[in-house]
Amino acid sequence: MISYNELYDALRKERYSEQLQPIPKNFIKEFSLYLKDKKDLVEKKNDDFSEVILKSKKQFENSIAIFKELILRRKKKILDLAFVAAETGISKRDFENMLAVEKEAFDGIMKALEKGDKKIDEMMKGFDEKIKKEENKMIVFIEDADEFMDVDGNNLGPFKKGDVANLSEEIANILIIDKKAEAIEEE
């Protein structure tokens, strides 16, 4: 079973290191047994004011606070590891220092970050298409036009008088200047 000093030492190491510190794989179970033992000692009603009971009660309360801070610091480090892995594509997983529950949380965070990135990419694709549409111009041909190439080397046309086309602004402007087409004003 873990002792109060071991618990405090684990927190101290976690506080003063940027890396996730190793703790026993059964740490949470050991801490749970420690708390049960302290709680049983505190709940003894033989002598409410004995030194041992007062000390145990204080250690019980402090132990809970230390454990919460330790877990909070470890969570923050796991989030940082996940963020670095998501941004760099390099999964610097410090698995040997993670508890099983922490490994599971890390994997879940990575999946959530990847899912978020995919959604952002999908939204940006729609934005890119919107920009391309905005860079196009609707025109109506006022005379026939033979087949021609656009700036990307793609064949366009032939077009007949009265045909409507949504072409790149650059090509549309050339056709308008050459008096082969007129712009259709969108409202």
Side-chain angles (χ1 to χ4, degrees):
M1 181 169 50
I2 196 167
S3 70
Y4 181 79
N5 289 338
E6 290 171 328
L7 180 63
Y8 182 77
D9 192 45
L11 174 61
R12 185 184 54 77
K13 287 178 182 176
E14 210 65 61
R15 263 188 198 156
Y16 297 110
S17 175
E18 289 185 28
Q19 279 78 29
L20 199 58
Q21 295 301 297
I23 57 176
K25 297 298 179 194
N26 60 348
F27 182 79
I28 295 173
K29 188 174 185 172
E30 291 288 319
F31 177 70
S32 174
L33 291 172
Y34 168 80
L35 276 185
K36 184 183 180 320
D37 187 48
K38 285 292 178 192
K39 187 176 181 185
D40 289 346
L41 189 60
V42 168
E43 288 178 347
K44 282 186 180 177
K45 297 189 180 193
N46 297 345
D47 188 2
D48 288 341
F49 296 105
S50 79
E51 282 295 317
V52 175
I53 292 177
L54 289 175
K55 183 179 177 185
S56 291
K57 188 173 185 176
K58 190 67 175 167
Q59 279 187 348
F60 177 77
E61 292 166 358
N62 287 345
S63 297
I64 293 171
I66 289 171
F67 181 77
K68 285 181 179 179
E69 183 179 346
L70 175 67
I71 296 301
L72 183 67
R73 287 181 181 277
R74 292 181 67 82
K75 283 179 186 177
K76 184 181 182 312
K77 290 178 182 180
I78 291 167
L79 284 171
D80 288 344
L81 286 171
F83 178 73
V84 168
E87 290 302 306
T88 62
I90 300 168
S91 186
K92 183 186 164 195
R93 296 181 183 193
D94 207 354
F95 275 139
E96 63 274 359
N97 293 340
M98 285 186 199
L99 301 174
V101 69
E102 292 171 332
K103 290 177 187 177
E104 198 175 305
F106 180 85
D107 288 338
I109 292 165
M110 287 301 299
K111 287 176 184 170
L113 289 172
E114 289 168 4
K115 186 177 178 182
D117 286 346
K118 284 180 184 175
K119 283 186 177 183
I120 290 171
D121 287 345
E122 288 171 12
M123 292 169 75
M124 290 306 295
K125 284 180 186 172
F127 182 72
D128 289 343
E129 290 171 11
K130 187 176 180 181
I131 289 173
K132 286 179 184 174
K133 285 181 184 177
E134 290 173 1
E135 292 175 351
N136 286 352
K137 190 181 259 188
M138 291 290 288
I139 58 171
V140 61
F141 284 86
I142 53 177
E143 64 178 71
D144 293 346
D146 296 328
E147 184 175 307
F148 58 92
M149 292 176 83
D150 67 3
V151 291
D152 295 326
N154 298 319
N155 289 334
L156 299 175
F159 295 101
K160 302 268 184 214
K161 182 179 177 178
D163 285 351
V164 175
N166 186 14
L167 303 175
S168 74
E169 191 170 357
E170 187 177 350
I171 298 293
N173 288 338
I174 291 170
L175 292 168
I176 292 168
I177 291 170
D178 289 344
K179 305 278 187 212
K180 294 195 179 266
E182 291 179 342
I184 298 175
E185 296 299 320
E186 296 180 8
E187 294 180 29

